[in-house]
């Protein structure tokens, strides 16, 4: 597993040359081969997804320093796609650059959470409105995205019943992403993609009361019925409840 700050057995530093440092390797271990350029993009995406998941499920805890060489060893990749992945995650707001070199997992402070909800709220509301509008416009044919929404709801309920928090967070995140996809607005989708990792991290840190799971079902019902104003209103209620729960869970708000 990649070493992160906080253990005496873990390395503390990162050398020059981007997040995690230069090209040194462990004694006696040959340097991994660099990727052939046509495959680099897919490898960097795989690396980004793997590191993001480790942040979301807190295998890489907040404040942990990530060393490029060690992450590459854990993922069994060369350092080039890992370096690109770490840079991408800095752009997503999940990692932050250290003053001299390297990166660490970003800590979500109260202002970060409040700012995130301020941005997410209008986007989530508009996504639900547009998704419902698209359903209404395609009647009597149901768009495929409605099935994806229904599937995400079912997976979240199954995960909650099995008390599998990580799987439940993934399903809830997928539900919101499916709404954006159903909206049919690529600009909205690109904007939401920038928030996705931070939202996953936040969902994994706070509790998920039963009434919020029920709110997803209400949102789905209005979207599937093509009722855009009710879909928007139910989403607004859900996001504001989510904010209140997050602040209470993370910062002991009354």
């Amino acid at each position: 597993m990649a070493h992160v700050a906080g253990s005496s057995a873990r390395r503390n530093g990162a050398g020059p040359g981007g997040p995690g440092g230069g090209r040194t390797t462990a004694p006696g271990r040959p340097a991994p081969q660099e990727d052939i350029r046509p495959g680099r993009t897919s490898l960097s995406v795989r690396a980004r997804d793997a590191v993001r998941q480790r942040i979301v499920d807190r295998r890489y805890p907040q404040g942990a320093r990530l060393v490029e060489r060690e992450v590459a060893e854990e993922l069994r990749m060369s350092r080039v796609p890992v370096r690109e992945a770490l840079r991408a995650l800095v752009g997503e707001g999940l990692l932050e650059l250290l003053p001299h070199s390297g990166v660490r997992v970003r800590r979500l402070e109260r202002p970060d959470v409040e700012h995130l909800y301020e941005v997410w709220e209008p986007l989530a509301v508009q996504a639900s409105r547009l998704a419902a509008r698209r359903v209404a416009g395609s009647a009597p044919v149901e768009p495929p995205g409605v099935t994806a929404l229904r599937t995400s709801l079912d997976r979240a309920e199954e995960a909650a019943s099995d008390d599998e928090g990580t799987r439940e967070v993934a399903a809830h995140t997928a539900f919101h992403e499916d709404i954006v996809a159903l909206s049919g607005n690529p600009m909205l989708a690109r904007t939401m993609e920038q928030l996705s990792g931070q939202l996953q991290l936040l969902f994994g840190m706070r509790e998920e009361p039963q009434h919020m799971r029920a709110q997803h079902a209400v949102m789905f019902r209005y979207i599937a019925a093509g009722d855009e104003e009710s879909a928007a209103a139910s989403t607004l209620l859900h996001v504001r409840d989510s904010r209140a729960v997050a602040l209470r869970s993370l910062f002991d708000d009354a």
Side-chain angles (χ1 to χ4, degrees):
M1 179 172 180
H3 299 287
V4 294
S7 169
S8 60
R10 293 169 180 169
R11 297 176 179 85
N12 297 320
R23 295 179 49 78
T24 58
T25 57
R29 177 177 297 181
Q33 294 183 348
E34 292 295 346
D35 305 295
I36 300 173
R37 183 168 295 274
R40 181 180 298 174
T41 299
S42 61
L43 283 174
S44 67
V45 169
R46 283 169 48 198
R48 183 190 64 195
D49 290 346
V51 174
R52 185 194 292 115
Q53 185 58 48
R54 284 161 172 77
I55 294 170
V56 168
D57 64 24
R58 286 172 281 182
R59 280 178 282 174
Y60 295 165
Q62 293 189 56
R65 186 171 186 171
L66 302 187
V67 179
E68 179 187 293
R69 176 185 63 252
E70 295 165 351
V71 175
E73 290 173 356
E74 179 183 352
L75 301 182
R76 299 186 178 183
M77 292 184 177
S78 75
R79 293 172 63 176
V80 173
V82 169
R83 184 179 305 130
E84 293 171 350
L86 297 182
R87 287 172 178 164
L89 292 170
V90 168
E92 289 185 17
L94 288 178
L95 298 177
E96 58 185 359
L97 292 171
L98 292 171
H100 301 293
S101 64
V103 296
R104 68 182 170 196
V105 180
R106 180 182 172 193
R107 294 184 183 276
L108 285 181
E109 306 292 348
R110 184 189 180 100
D112 299 318
V113 174
E114 291 177 336
H115 295 159
L116 181 57
Y117 274 102
E118 287 171 357
V119 175
W120 182 41
E121 179 182 300
L123 295 176
V125 170
Q126 183 66 358
S128 289
R129 178 181 286 113
L130 292 176
R133 184 181 302 171
R134 188 176 178 202
V135 170
S138 67
V141 178
E142 183 179 272
V146 175
T147 300
L149 275 178
R150 188 180 293 111
T151 299
S152 293
L153 271 183
D154 291 343
R155 288 174 176 168
E157 287 300 325
E158 290 172 3
S161 297
D162 296 338
D163 198 24
E164 293 189 10
T166 300
R167 189 156 59 92
E168 185 180 355
V169 167
H172 286 158
T173 303
F175 177 78
H176 287 285
E177 291 175 345
D178 290 339
I179 293 175
V180 174
L182 182 55
S183 77
N185 187 312
M187 184 174 293
L188 178 61
R190 288 194 297 271
T191 303
M192 285 298 299
E193 187 176 3
Q194 295 299 309
L195 304 180
S196 179
Q198 294 180 66
L199 288 172
Q200 288 182 60
L201 178 60
L202 184 60
F203 293 161
M205 292 168 60
R206 60 153 173 76
E207 61 187 49
E208 185 72 13
Q210 173 61 36
H211 82 273
M212 291 185 62
R213 293 197 294 271
Q215 287 172 354
H216 279 173
V218 174
M219 291 164 58
F220 170 77
R221 186 168 67 248
Y222 287 131
I223 291 172
D227 185 344
E228 59 182 277
E229 293 309 318
S230 295
S234 61
T235 301
L236 178 62
L237 173 64
H238 174 70
V239 174
R240 290 186 174 176
D241 272 6
S242 177
R243 177 185 181 277
V245 167
L247 293 176
R248 184 170 62 247
S249 298
L250 303 178
F251 308 109
D252 297 321
D253 276 24

